[in-house]
Structure formats: structure tokens, C-alpha cells
């Protein structure tokens, strides 16, 4: 195992840590994802002169971690979102935008690492653009909360659209994907999916569906 670190410390390459090679471009302060991507492309082109990377015509680039399969890339931006994290289910909100989020607590407070989702069937450009647009939306919501404004219209299930995965007016014939739902009902249905088929047609004495 080993690590190559550039003189500017903005680019490093991990050797034989999970994958044979992992390229990491980073920037502190105001992050320019497009510039970081350009740095990575240059580094990949230089290393690629000595050989090719494992790739499948059907799946894309092959990686040790299944979540990176395809585009073989993950973009992460660290944000401070204290009001938004307190007012919403931040992981569910990010999941509705095809993003992942993790919390890191440091000496200067809590940071949220907002990352791109799975790379299978998605291009690198689409991954980067989704992170850029998602972070822009999260920062906008945080600014609205700082100004004392409500954000119900931007919260999954509270605006004009229903929460992702489950229609609000009908019960589908098969159980929808409840991966983005955190309620007790969702936990029970995930554990015992056969309950859905038994209960979806239940109604009150007046014929109102449950």
C-alpha cells in the first residue's frame, strides 16, 4: 500500500487501498467541482498512458465497492446546515435528490458531507451536475430558514408532490419501494411485506379506504 501526494496537496492517489488505484482531488474553502474534475481527468490521462482501467461494456468501470460501479466516481461537498438538519429529515431530503449525506462532528461544529449517489448507468457529468444542483438547493433552503421563511413546499411529502415511492391517493397493486421512508409503518412493511397485500383493500364501514 502507498499514497502519492502532489506538491499542492490537492491531488493524491491511494494504491491498493480497496481498489488498486483511487484518485482523490480536494479543495478547501469555496469548492469548484468542475476544476477538481479537470484535475482528475489530467491525472487519469497521465496514469492511463501505461495501461487501461478495468471496464465492462455493460456495467462501465469495475470497482471493488459496488456503489461506485459504473462511473467509478463519488463527489462530496461539506456543508454547514444546522437549521435545515434540525427542521427536516436531512438524509431523506437528500435521498429524494439522489444524494447521500453523512454527518461529521468536529471542533468547529457539525458538518454534513453531501455526496453523489450510485454511479451505475449515470455519466460522470450527470453525477457532478446533480451534486452541484443539490448543494445549491440545500444552501438555498438553509438561507430561507435563516430568514425565518417556511420550507414546507420543498420538503418531500409536504409540498405539491407526495413523498417519493408511495402515491398519496391510491394503493398500488404491489408494495412500492419504501427505502426513503423512515416511519414506523415503513419499517413494519419492510420487515413483513406480506401485510401490504392483506391490508391494502381494507376500508371503513362507509367504504373509505384505510
Amino acid at each position: 500500500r502507498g499514497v502519492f501526494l502532489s506538491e499542492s496537496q490537492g491531488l493524491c492517489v491511494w494504491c491498493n487501498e480497496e481498489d488498486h488505484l483511487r484518485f482523490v482531488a480536494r479543495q478547501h474553502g469555496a469548492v469548484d467541482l468542475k476544476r477538481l474534475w479537470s484535475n482528475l481527468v489530467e491525472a487519469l490521462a497521465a496514469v492511463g498512458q501505461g495501461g487501461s482501467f478495468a471496464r465492462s461494456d455493460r456495467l462501465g468501470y469495475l470497482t471493488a465497492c459496488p456503489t461506485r460501479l459504473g462511473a467509478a466516481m463519488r463527489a462530496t461537498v461539506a456543508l454547514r446546515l444546522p437549521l435545515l438538519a434540525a427542521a427536516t429529515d436531512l438524509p431523506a431530503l437528500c435521498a429524494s435528490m439522489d444524494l447521500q449525506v453523512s454527518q461529521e462532528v468536529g471542533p468547529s461544529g457539525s458538518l454534513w458531507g453531501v455526496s453523489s449517489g450510485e454511479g451505475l448507468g449515470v455519466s460522470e457529468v450527470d453525477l457532478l451536475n446533480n451534486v452541484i444542483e443539490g448543494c445549491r438547493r440545500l444552501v438555498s433552503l438553509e438561507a430561507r430558514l435563516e430568514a425565518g421563511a417556511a420550507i414546507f413546499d420543498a420538503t418531500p411529502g409536504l409540498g405539491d408532490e407526495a413523498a417519493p415511492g408511495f402515491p398519496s391517493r391510491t394503493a398500488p397493486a404491489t408494495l412500492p419501494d419504501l427505502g426513503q421512508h423512515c416511519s414506523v409503518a415503513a419499517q413494519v412493511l419492510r420487515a413483513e411485506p406480506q401485510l401490504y397485500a392483506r391490508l391494502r383493500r381494507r376500508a371503513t364501514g362507509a367504504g373509505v379506504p384505510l
Side-chain angles (χ1 to χ4, degrees), residues 90-103:
L90 190 56
L93 177 59
C94 288
S96 71
M97 297 185 284
D98 294 326
L99 298 172
Q100 300 174 359
V101 66
S102 60
Q103 186 177 18

Side-chain angles (χ1 to χ4, degrees), residues 74-112:
R74 176 172 295 164
T76 301
V77 177
L79 299 176
R80 296 189 188 279
L81 304 167
L83 299 180
L84 187 60
T88 66
D89 183 347
L90 190 56
L93 177 59
C94 288
S96 71
M97 297 185 284
D98 294 326
L99 298 172
Q100 300 174 359
V101 66
S102 60
Q103 186 177 18
E104 299 179 7
V105 179
S108 58
S110 181
L111 285 174
W112 291 89

